[in-house]
Every structure is written in structure tokens, then in C-alpha cells.
Amino acid sequence: MTELPSSLRGRVLVAGAGVSGRGCVAMLASLGVDTTVADSNETALAELAEEFGVATVSVDSAAQGDFDLVVTSPGWRPDSPLLVAFQDAGVEVIGDVELAYRLDRAGVFGAPRTWLVVTGTNGKTTTTGMLAQIMQADAKRTGKRALAVGNIGVSLFDALTATPRLDVLCAELSSFQLHWSSHLRPDVGVLLNLADDHLDWHGSFDAYARAKAKVLSGDVAVVGKDDAEAVRYAADTADLYGFTAAEPTQGEVGVSAGRLVSRLNEQREDLASAEGIEPAGLAGVLDAAAAASVARLAGATPESIAQGLAAYTVAGHRGAVVHEHSGITFIDNSKATNPHAADAALKGLNSVIWIAGGQLKGAEVDGLVAKHAAHIKAAVVLGVDREEVARALAAHAPHAPVDVIETQEPVAAMHAAVEAALQHADAGDTVLLAPAAASLDMYTGMAQRGDFFAAAARELTRK
């Protein structure tokens, strides 16, 4: 117990008995911390009490308890009455990532790890995956084991207790996790981009952006220089580095003559090819530039950067080419669940049959369609907000024929969408699933939506 941070030597309340809460409970119980769990799910509470021997309490009763610290699950909004009540009473509320960071920095699991943290509205998973591949390649030189953790890969708690030891944590963090952090100071942190997202949770774009910008509070900070909002929220950051898809200036990684080039230091360095990167298009190049920036600032060699990027393959539903037939390329970017992500997916593609639609959640798509109208050959829209996407297409891309899929049955809808897309596609075209909308109106998630797209593409082109 002498190794524990002082804030964990009293009574700790874990708010939430879901996946995140369970991880916190398991960690705290293993360290002998006096832990109580609050949730409205009595079954989940009973399971945690039996497995870990912790006390449990209802959400309504928890506010009456005497606790020294509250650890909340990311899903609990900042305006949750229980959390507000504790904060008003002067009790600190932190998240699971902050808990992991404090335990690591206190030396509970040996010498503190190197934290390389990635956040942004879009591109987090790809950038983190690329970064992990680079740092794993560099481990052959340094002997320091690296892994993707956080919202991809293993949990932070598992990473801290891993055997053999992990030395470098390539962590993808969300705005929720960053909101509930206060001590977190990444060794290198990168803010990729910023656009409207999760405003219902944060309450405003400013609150969302400020949570994301916490990633810049550490020793070394990197920002996407091509994103105006990210640059604006990074304006007060000292010793700021950047990445860009353009020719780099001093302090940046960018692209020159088809190569990723670093000018992070005084010496100009060639890092890797900017061609053939997954996912295809500008989004993939920017993610690679971001990963290369963080890795180089963390000490990775140019050779390791080239090796890591060459070894990286895109994760499912994030821009992977899932099928090719008669010169037509089918790209699954079902992960593009908002207009900002769809914008990145459409960049760099010339003749696109665009499959879009789902739950827009109040987001407007006029700007997205207007920006890419010249490259949209045709479109197919489906999902609950299909008419809103069709309206934007009619207004800003009147040259593009639009097929509206009326059925809401998941398999039939995607089958009909791909079938309609094939009617417009010729050799050299790309059929792109980049919905600009969430999937839960029709699918169990973006993964199922993408899987159904790939399956329909293969099935319909066998005929």
C-alpha cells in the first residue's frame, strides 16, 4: 500500500459496473483498495461483489456515502447527478485512464512506461495502429516492448500488469477519457483533428475540443497542421510540432515528392514512402504522417518508421479494399460514422459511387456533398436519414444519379445498395461505403454494416 498514490489510500467509489467499471474494480481490488461500486444494474453489482469482494450500492444511495475519490466509467456524462454531487462536495472524480496513469507514474508496477497518446475526431485507430507497428519495429533496436492499448488492443490495466513487461504504451484515447483526466501528461501526445462529435455528452463543441486538447499537455505535443480547429485549440501549446500532407516546414513531418519527410529537427530526414499506404487516399497519408511524427519524437529511427508503416494493414471497416471486380474497387469505410470521417474517406478518390446514410444525429451533410460533388459519379442512400442525404445530393451534386433504398431490413438494404451501385460503376470507379452516419438504426454496429457490404459486393459480382 505504501506504493499507492495518496488518493487511493482512502475509500474509492467506482461509478458504473460495465466493462470499464469492472476493469477498475478488478485493478483496485487486486491492490487492496477499499472499493465500493455504484450502478442501477443489481445483477451486475451482485456479480462484482461475489467475484471481487467489493461493497456495492445503488446510484441513488451512493451520493450519501463518504468517499475520498470517485472513478467513473467513460459513459457517465459530466452532468450525471451523482458525479456533480461529489464534485460539488469537493470529491475528485477521475476516469479509468487517469487511474491507470496515476498507478503507473507512482511506480506501482515498476518504472513508469512511455505514454504515446493519440486522439482526434477521426483517424485515431489507424494512427495508433501505425504508431504501434513503428514502435514494435524499433523495439528490435531498443529492446523496449510496445503495444497498442486503450480503445484498441489491450486495456491499460492489462498493459500495466503484462508479462513480459510493456515499456511503450501507444494509447488511443477518447474525449470522454480525456475529460476525466487531470494528471495525465503524455510523453508525446498528438491531436489529429477536430469536428463536431459527441456534443450531447460534452454539452458544446468547445467543451469537446478542450477535452481532446488535453492530449497536448505533456512533454511533447503534435497537432495536425491541416486542420484549422485543431490548430486553434493548440494555439497556447509551447514547443508544438506538426504534421501535414504538404511540404513540411520547420518542426513538421510532411510529404515531398511522394515521400514522408521530417523537419522536426534541424536536419531534413527521409522517413518512408507516402505511396501505397493503407488506407488509400489522403486520410491514410495524414495518419501515417501523424504516426511518424510521434514515433520520431519518441526516438524511433527513420528505418523503424519505414518498416512499421510497410507492415501496417488497415483495421476492418476503416478504408480497407474488401473486393475488386472488373476494374471496380470496393472500399469499406463503415467506420465513417459522421461527416468529418466521410470527408476523409472521400479525399483522394476521383470517380466514386458513394453509399451513404444512417443516423445523422443532427449533423448536416451539405458541406460534405458540396466539397466532393465533382468526384461523386452516383450515390446510393439508405437508413433512417436517407432523404436528408438525398436532398443534399440533389442540391449540391445534381449531375449524380441517386438511388434511395427504402427497405430497413439490414441484409436486404445493403444488398440492394450494392446492386444499385453496380448499375453505375465502370472500370476505374470506386464503390465506397462511407455513410457519414451512425449505424444503429439498422445494424448492430458499424462492423456489421461493413461486413454486409463486403459480402454483398462479393456475392453480386459472382453472377
Side-chain angles (χ1 to χ4, degrees), residues 63-304:
Q64 310 307 316
D66 180 19
F67 298 100
D68 301 290
L69 179 73
V70 177
V71 181
T72 181
S73 299
W76 285 47
R77 289 167 43 150
D79 59 0
S80 299
L82 179 64
L83 304 184
V84 172
F86 278 111
Q87 288 181 310
D88 288 346
V91 177
E92 186 179 20
V93 179
I94 67 173
D96 55 343
V97 168
E98 177 73 8
L99 173 62
Y101 182 81
R102 291 187 186 188
L103 291 171
D104 181 55
R105 280 299 186 266
V108 174
F109 305 103
R113 280 88 183 145
T114 297
W115 286 62
L116 308 180
V117 180
V118 179
T119 199
T121 302
N122 293 298
K124 296 185 295 297
T125 298
T126 300
T127 302
T128 306
M130 289 175 169
L131 177 60
Q133 285 281 3
I134 294 169
M135 300 311 294
Q136 287 163 7
D138 205 54
K140 298 171 186 175
R141 177 182 65 89
T142 64
K144 294 182 177 180
R145 296 181 68 245
L147 198 66
V149 301
N151 289 337
I152 66 171
V154 305
S155 77
L156 281 161
F157 296 132
D158 288 341
L160 293 178
T161 57
T163 304
R165 172 190 162 94
L166 289 173
D167 305 290
V168 180
L169 307 182
C170 303
E172 176 194 325
L173 300 186
S174 70
S175 60
F176 305 160
Q177 293 164 320
L178 288 163
H179 173 88
W180 294 118
S181 71
S182 53
H183 292 188
L184 176 64
R185 299 289 184 272
D187 293 279
V188 186
V190 59
L191 176 60
L192 302 175
N193 45 57
L194 287 170
D196 287 355
D197 205 11
H198 302 304
L199 303 192
D200 53 345
W201 195 94
H202 288 279
S204 68
F205 176 77
D206 182 64
Y208 165 72
R210 290 186 184 280
K212 288 283 195 185
K214 285 186 177 184
V215 77
L216 305 176
S217 64
D219 295 339
V220 180
V222 183
V223 71
K225 288 295 186 71
D226 297 351
D227 188 274
E229 289 294 345
V231 170
R232 182 162 73 90
Y233 278 88
D236 296 330
T237 305
D239 300 322
L240 184 66
Y241 297 89
F243 67 91
T244 174
E247 181 80 30
T249 60
Q250 189 63 41
E252 296 178 353
V253 167
V255 180
S256 179
R259 304 288 298 178
L260 283 177
V261 174
S262 169
R263 293 190 61 191
L264 295 171
N265 302 306
E266 291 184 6
Q267 182 180 0
R268 182 183 176 94
E269 296 178 313
D270 181 86
L271 301 180
S273 174
E275 299 175 354
I277 289 172
E278 289 190 29
L282 180 60
V285 172
L286 282 169
D287 292 343
S293 301
V294 174
R296 191 72 184 102
L297 290 165
T301 64
E303 294 76 17
S304 295

Side-chain angles (χ1 to χ4, degrees), residues 403-446:
D403 292 286
V404 179
I405 307 302
E406 298 293 346
T407 179
Q408 296 277 299
E409 199 287 317
V411 175
M414 190 58 71
H415 189 281
V418 174
E419 189 169 39
L422 282 168
Q423 300 303 311
H424 303 288
D426 298 302
D429 292 344
T430 298
V431 176
L432 172 69
L433 174 67
S439 59
L440 297 180
D441 57 330
M442 292 169 57
Y443 301 96
T444 59
M446 65 88 182

